[in-house]
Amino acid sequence: MKSLRKPWLLLCLFLPLSALPGCSPQGDDESEATFEKAALTLKGMMSYKERIALPQGSKARVWMRDLDDPNSKPLAEDQVAVDGQVPIPFQLSMNPNSIQKGHHYGLSAEIRVPDGTLAFATPEEVTVEPFGISLIQLELVRVKPKP
């Protein structure tokens, strides 16, 4: 009779643990479903070192793309009207399902003056981890005008 009590005792002790979050295989499904519903947003500032005010009507643009796919289109893009001063805030919103595990992602940015001439740009794509960033700082460099 004693040997029958031990399995029941163990069952009574460990059964309530399966209801705790993370102790049940269903907990992972719930977190993935919640993750898929939320929009992914990256926020940051772009700036440049030169002490030059931008002309009124200038526009800044920042975008993110998949660096592992050379033909990829931007996954997210933001265009901002510039008031002449830096830093310039930006925000990229995207569907988290567009981010693939194991892929690398990069941000690029540019500032154009009102006539469309490129004035500042990131010298190369800045690699980012979309799920691990709180605030992104992009440093743009002056683009020399073409003669």
Side-chain angles (χ1 to χ4, degrees):
M1 186 86 155
K2 253 186 183 179
S3 63
L4 288 177
R5 278 192 245 161
K6 286 185 183 179
W8 284 106
L9 180 62
L10 289 175
L11 183 61
C12 291
L13 287 175
F14 291 109
L15 188 59
L17 290 177
S18 66
L20 293 174
C23 294
S24 166
Q26 295 168 348
D28 291 337
D29 293 338
E30 284 180 28
S31 63
E32 284 181 17
T34 303
F35 169 77
E36 291 175 6
K37 290 178 185 175
L40 175 62
T41 301
L42 303 178
K43 296 179 181 182
M45 301 287 217
M46 52 184 128
S47 62
Y48 51 83
K49 290 182 180 179
E50 290 83 356
R51 294 182 158 266
I52 301 170
L54 294 164
Q56 188 173 4
S58 296
K59 295 195 185 282
R61 177 178 166 242
V62 63
W63 63 96
M64 186 179 89
R65 70 176 199 89
D66 184 343
L67 298 177
D68 294 326
D69 181 0
N71 300 318
S72 75
K73 295 178 181 178
L75 298 171
E77 182 176 338
D78 189 17
Q79 293 191 23
V80 182
V82 179
D83 67 0
Q85 301 295 320
V86 292
I88 303 163
F90 67 86
Q91 180 172 313
L92 298 172
S93 296
M94 68 201 81
N95 182 338
N97 293 330
S98 62
I99 305 300
Q100 298 178 38
K101 288 183 182 179
H103 281 227
H104 300 90
Y105 296 91
L107 291 178
S108 297
E110 65 183 22
I111 300 173
R112 293 184 180 269
V113 294
D115 71 359
T117 303
L118 184 61
F120 293 91
T122 47
E124 57 189 35
E125 290 177 302
V126 177
T127 305
V128 294
E129 170 55 50
F131 297 111
I133 300 174
S134 57
L135 187 65
I136 304 162
Q137 298 288 333
L138 296 177
E139 188 73 31
L140 285 68
V141 297
R142 189 168 184 147
V143 175
K144 294 181 181 177
K146 295 180 182 178

